[in-house]
Amino acid sequence: MSAGDRFAAAGTAAPPRPLDPRALRADVPLLAPDRPGGRIVYLDSAASAQRPRVVVEAMDEYYSTTHANVHRGIYAIAEEATRRYEQARAAVGRLIGAPRPEREIVFTKNATEAINLVAYAWGRHELRRGDVVVLSEIEHHANFVPWLMLREEIGVELRYLRLGADYHLDLSDLDRLVDGARLVAVTCASNVLGTVVDLSPIVTSARRAGALVLADGAQLVPHRPLDVRALGVDFLAFTGHKMLGPTGIGMLWAREELLDAMPPFLGGGEMIRDVRLDGFTPTDIPWRFEAGTPPIAEAVGLEAAVRYLEGIGLERVREHEVALTAYAIERLEAVHGDRVKIFGPAPDPLRRSGVISFAVEGVHPHDVAQVLDTRNVCVRAGHHCAKPLMRRLGVSATTRASLYLYNDEEDVEALVDALGEVRRLFR
Amino acid sequence: MSGLEDLYREIILDHYRSPRNRGELPTPPAHRVEGYNPLCGDEVVLYLQVDDGMITDVRVGGQGCSISQSSASMMSAAVKGRSIAQARSLVRSFKSMMSIHEQRLDGGDAGAGSDGTTLEVEEAPEPVDPEAMGELAALQGVVKFPVRIKCATLSWNTLSQGLDELETGA
């Protein structure tokens, strides 16, 4: 069923074969080479990936053959819809090494909602005035604003891990910052800098301080193998549409005992055991946190995306992106180094992702992106929902190219060429 | 089909590289007004010196893309030395220049035979004589890039707001 199955034969024993991005692009309708108007050079997967045909087909097939609401019907297609929805939960759990996905994975709308779920259900319940939450200054707004809201509401104290000169988090003051904290909420990988955060010392320090750890995995789960048990975190938020799945579905993984102790997030159908005129009893996890009809077709599409990624192998995806990122940085510096400044760490197999933010001297990022668009090169220009980081970098915006499994050196060359056009225009 | 030369006309790039009337004026006597586009972060700060209904001096601060900053620079040159009434008329002309082209773009030839896809515009556009617009006419090309129209109109909306504040004594 999955086009990714043809990769599955490779198994995991042999050294991973390099990816063939051109073949992978053939799986993705939007990236077709014969697209009217020209092939799209898609360098914005950090914002949203382009999904392979199998994902869209799985959703179509589900709607055409199976759809019914989940968890209530006593008829065959409703039971099948429930089975497929829960099967998607199991697939997501498998991807991140969740010990008990059927209890620990909550489907949300996106990663933002997953973090908000923790802030509301855990934070509002557990945190008191003066309690400390540690964030980093490179977070996406999704991991700032829910905590800033709790600061306004409850009076929690926020502390920040700072960015070092090498574009990695400065952990020299880690123990003092984390001391007395209730929660450390930090990204796995920056959506601006491409910095992959070394969570291990943060988790160790948090454990010592008795703090929980929430990791924002939106920018890392799609790109490399990750195991929540090895990571040692307590909460992991991530999203479907950045990992080849559909929009409208995100995930929170949390340790079972934490979820079990948390009161509900949104109220409504699906999340209750009983409702009386004078009260309600919430149902079991994970459904306690899934009020209303969930994104069923999206879960089906997401499972197809997970299977596709598993068929390819996330270790191969990582190796491909590491090599391509090194190539892209080298080419940008070789050809445009006199006018292009990259905001991010040096290439590194473990500590850097394929997100490359840069400035072209004397040209605003929106103008860069506009010129690149005329060459069908899609990059993002703006603050990337990371305004505190923009202030730290001393810029109002950056241009960002981000790489994924279907990108190759040809795409990088298209970017390098198009930047030449930017420079010619804005001499 | 790049159309880039329509957007980045040489005169626009010239105003971007060498913005006119850049700087600040002491407040008071000058009036300071800020315009901001939260979506893209473009920012325009205007200092308006108005004496007896005449805009005797203008200074422009802020930062942003070539379109927002060159439009602000061209606007400052166009309204300096004009009366408030003339400046307001110029704001109307500039904004309808943007709207007219917005319509034509979508509906093909404006008027008869429109297929109904014509964009709604806030106000009925007034006829604009491109001659009278002077170098501002260079910004016409922006309307082919709908997401950039707000960049071009930012400084003009900010000027409008500043003139409103001056006239109501805010």
Side-chain angles (χ1 to χ4, degrees), chain A residues 362-364 366-368 370-371 373-374 382-383 387 396-397 421 424-427, chain B residues 2 4 7-8 13 16-17 36 38-40 42 63-67 145 147-148:
Chain A
V363 192
H364 192 277
H366 289 155
D367 291 314
V368 175
Q370 187 88 61
V371 177
D373 176 55
T374 63
H383 54 61
K387 293 200 83 168
S396 62
E421 175 74 17
R424 273 189 293 282
L425 203 57
F426 289 88
R427 273 188 302 276
Chain B
S2 91
L4 269 189
L7 184 63
Y8 297 119
L13 294 175
Y16 180 51
R17 288 187 203 106
Y36 189 63
L39 223 58
C40 62
D42 284 354
Q63 46 87 30
C65 71
S66 62
I67 303 302
F145 299 83
V147 294
R148 304 302 292 277

Side-chain angles (χ1 to χ4, degrees), chain A residues 1-5 54-55 57-59 61 84 300 303-305 307:
Chain A
M1 173 192 150
S2 161
D5 283 350
V54 287
V55 170
E57 284 173 355
M59 294 172 76
E61 187 266 343
R84 293 187 66 176
V300 169
E303 192 199 347
R307 284 181 180 280

Side-chain angles (χ1 to χ4, degrees), chain A residues 301-316:
Chain A
L302 180 65
E303 192 199 347
V306 168
R307 284 181 180 280
Y308 184 87
L309 283 171
E310 286 173 331
I312 291 166
L314 277 164
E315 182 53 28
R316 290 172 76 206

